[in-house]
Amino acid sequence: MKKAAVLMIPIALIIAAAVVYLVSSSGTRLDMDGNNIRGIRIEQQPEFYNTGPISVTNEAEIKLITDYLNGLELKSPNHNPDEYDGSAFVFTIENKDGTERTIVHFGNKFLRANDEWYEISYEQASRFDEEIYPNLEAAYEHFHHVE
């Protein structure tokens, strides 16, 4: 009986470690309710555009942005974001109750939300630059690139 109990402890520790590893490697996701959002202000830093931020209030565009952000698989960073240079999209999300939340989409590698840095895959992060942002840019004709 003692031998069985002694063997159970290392097995339980291995199982616990495996569960912790699987949960931590599966990633975190943002949990934004697009129906609760009044508007989203998007700024690019450093500022590459001469008109400043755009304000998105159209429900379909809010849904497009929140679906994208909610779909990102966020992981603990393997790299230090402070060691990177690049541009960032800063999303200021205004809820219908007046509260705000800021999310920083830094380059095609990092995301800062809930006061924490996360790492995102290039494939996921590049979707904003390649698919979503050009559609927003076209919708807001006043928002154009400075040559």
Side-chain angles (χ1 to χ4, degrees), residues 33-68:
D33 179 4
N35 295 320
N36 188 39
I37 295 174
R38 177 182 299 149
I40 301 174
R41 188 174 65 244
I42 304 171
E43 299 176 70
Q44 192 170 16
Q45 300 292 328
E47 190 175 303
F48 293 118
Y49 296 86
N50 68 354
T51 59
I54 60 172
S55 293
V56 176
T57 55
N58 176 288
E59 287 183 23
E61 292 167 346
I62 288 172
K63 181 173 178 9
L64 180 72
I65 295 167
T66 55
D67 286 352
Y68 166 74

Side-chain angles (χ1 to χ4, degrees), residues 27-35 37 40 62-74 93 101 103 105 111 113-114 120 124 127 132:
T28 301
R29 297 202 188 256
L30 296 175
D31 185 24
M32 291 187 295
D33 179 4
N35 295 320
I37 295 174
I40 301 174
I62 288 172
K63 181 173 178 9
L64 180 72
I65 295 167
T66 55
D67 286 352
Y68 166 74
L69 292 171
N70 283 334
L72 293 174
E73 186 174 323
L74 310 174
I93 298 156
R101 177 180 190 183
I103 297 173
H105 189 289
L111 192 106
N114 309 324
I120 48 182
Q124 289 186 45
R127 271 194 60 230
I132 298 169

Side-chain angles (χ1 to χ4, degrees), residues 29-145:
R29 297 202 188 256
L30 296 175
D31 185 24
M32 291 187 295
D33 179 4
N35 295 320
N36 188 39
I37 295 174
R38 177 182 299 149
I40 301 174
R41 188 174 65 244
I42 304 171
E43 299 176 70
Q44 192 170 16
Q45 300 292 328
E47 190 175 303
F48 293 118
Y49 296 86
N50 68 354
T51 59
I54 60 172
S55 293
V56 176
T57 55
N58 176 288
E59 287 183 23
E61 292 167 346
I62 288 172
K63 181 173 178 9
L64 180 72
I65 295 167
T66 55
D67 286 352
Y68 166 74
L69 292 171
N70 283 334
L72 293 174
E73 186 174 323
L74 310 174
K75 297 187 179 193
S76 296
N78 290 326
H79 304 90
N80 181 354
D82 293 331
E83 295 175 358
Y84 287 80
D85 290 329
S87 63
F89 288 101
V90 179
F91 299 88
T92 304
I93 298 156
E94 182 184 354
N95 294 312
K96 290 180 179 175
D97 66 4
T99 59
E100 290 187 348
R101 177 180 190 183
T102 300
I103 297 173
V104 179
H105 189 289
F106 180 55
N108 287 329
K109 190 163 186 71
F110 301 104
L111 192 106
R112 182 167 178 81
N114 309 324
D115 295 323
E116 291 188 44
W117 280 108
Y118 300 95
E119 197 160 332
I120 48 182
S121 73
Y122 176 82
E123 293 77 21
Q124 289 186 45
S126 62
R127 271 194 60 230
F128 188 77
D129 285 339
E130 294 170 1
E131 298 172 23
I132 298 169
Y133 192 68
N135 290 331
L136 291 174
E137 198 173 27
Y140 296 87
E141 294 176 12
H142 67 279
F143 195 64
H144 61 278
H145 193 276

